[in-house]
Amino acid sequence: MSTSTSSAVKAPVPNSSALKGKIAVITGGGSGIGLAVVERFVAEGAYVFIMGRRQAVLDQAVAALGDNVEAIAGDVTASEDLDRLYARVKAQKGIIDILVTASGIAECASLAETGPEHIDQIFATNSRATLFSVQKALPLMSAGGSVVLIGSIAGFIGTPGYGTYGATKAAVRSYARTWSNELAGRSIRVNTLSPGPIDTSMFDNVSDELRQSAIDMIPLRRLGRATEVAAAALFLASDESSYITGAELCIDGGMAQV
């Protein structure tokens, strides 16, 4: 039986206050990589708004992480839900310093199996929702703000059965290049964070054989941890990366690099 080292909901212990006083919005922040990013940002002093679809999961995160987290249940593919999210942010804080788009889905379908519903669902969540999450945040984004788009190394490697997913992540990477130019006049940085295989709940139902097959393709010979992705997100969100925009940072144990 496989085990998971994904981030558990827990009260974070502040480390360095790298984001002290910052206001962050994280879509898909209720579980997996998104939740690990929320935990790290709160630990570093940020006030974080989360959007996710499952109210019970959001309530659990807020209860565990304390007063610096506020959750809004909603679907990032629904324009009215995004409007509710940003209306809440505007009413409560009036500004956004950091936006992380962590909402995403992955479903397996070969070329022969791919149909219109599959295409529409994956692109709506991974690409279209990313665009409108950023677009609707812009009126509240501060000068010098940071946008971190969660991509994937699937955007530039060919993974059988995940052609549509890879295409959506390639689109996200392309958005980062364009938006970093478009928003440079406001000193808003846009970067892509692209994980490789990360040991989150999506691996819980994967066979030991498939799990080991993935590990064998990684030079570091292990799956990544959600906390490692969160550390990279912190770097891109903070002033430590103040001269970085339009870039892609891969957290993949070398899988797509060597």
Side-chain angles (χ1 to χ4, degrees), residues 120-251:
D120 292 345
Q121 181 183 25
I122 305 300
F123 268 93
T125 303
N126 295 356
S127 300
R128 183 179 181 274
T130 294
L131 186 152
F132 288 113
S133 294
V134 176
Q135 182 193 78
K136 290 174 178 291
L138 289 179
L140 297 176
M141 287 291 295
S142 63
S146 175
V147 177
V148 180
L149 310 179
I150 302 299
S152 170
I153 63 170
F156 55 90
I157 65 174
T159 305
Y162 289 91
T164 302
Y165 175 73
T168 65
K169 293 303 186 177
V172 167
R173 176 68 185 104
S174 181
Y175 281 152
R177 291 189 174 99
T178 302
W179 298 342
S180 62
N181 264 322
E182 291 184 356
L183 301 177
R186 293 178 56 184
S187 298
I188 294 174
R189 299 181 297 109
V190 184
N191 292 291
T192 307
L193 182 60
S194 292
I198 304 299
D199 197 2
T200 59
S201 59
M202 70 174 290
F203 270 92
D204 288 347
N205 295 320
V206 171
S207 69
D208 290 342
E209 182 180 4
L210 288 176
R211 184 185 182 91
Q212 189 58 50
S213 177
I215 291 172
D216 289 343
M217 293 187 289
I218 302 170
L220 291 183
R221 294 296 185 269
R222 66 173 177 84
L223 300 178
R225 296 184 288 270
T227 52
E228 293 173 313
V229 182
L234 172 63
F235 171 68
L236 292 177
S238 74
D239 292 339
E240 295 297 314
S241 60
S242 59
Y243 198 53
I244 299 175
T245 193
E248 180 172 29
L249 178 56
C250 295
I251 312 300

Side-chain angles (χ1 to χ4, degrees), residues 23-191:
I23 308 302
V25 172
I26 301 175
T27 64
S31 61
I33 288 172
L35 177 57
V37 175
V38 174
E39 291 175 351
R40 186 62 189 269
F41 281 17
V42 170
E44 298 290 343
Y47 189 97
V48 181
F49 291 86
I50 311 171
M51 171 161 272
R53 289 180 295 178
R54 295 175 293 173
Q55 186 67 60
V57 171
L58 295 176
D59 291 344
Q60 181 182 8
V62 170
L65 297 175
D67 295 337
N68 284 338
V69 178
E70 189 167 344
I72 299 91
D75 185 342
V76 291
T77 67
S79 180
E80 60 272 21
D81 286 356
L82 288 175
D83 289 340
R84 283 195 302 105
L85 166 65
Y86 292 123
R88 178 82 67 85
V89 176
K90 182 177 181 179
Q92 295 291 92
K93 297 295 182 179
I95 195 170
I96 299 171
D97 298 301
I98 303 159
L99 171 64
V100 180
T101 60
S103 293
I105 56 174
E107 291 185 356
C108 182
S110 68
L111 174 59
E113 297 166 335
T114 297
E117 184 177 345
H118 173 79
I119 288 280
D120 292 345
Q121 181 183 25
I122 305 300
F123 268 93
T125 303
N126 295 356
S127 300
R128 183 179 181 274
T130 294
L131 186 152
F132 288 113
S133 294
V134 176
Q135 182 193 78
K136 290 174 178 291
L138 289 179
L140 297 176
M141 287 291 295
S142 63
S146 175
V147 177
V148 180
L149 310 179
I150 302 299
S152 170
I153 63 170
F156 55 90
I157 65 174
T159 305
Y162 289 91
T164 302
Y165 175 73
T168 65
K169 293 303 186 177
V172 167
R173 176 68 185 104
S174 181
Y175 281 152
R177 291 189 174 99
T178 302
W179 298 342
S180 62
N181 264 322
E182 291 184 356
L183 301 177
R186 293 178 56 184
S187 298
I188 294 174
R189 299 181 297 109
V190 184
N191 292 291

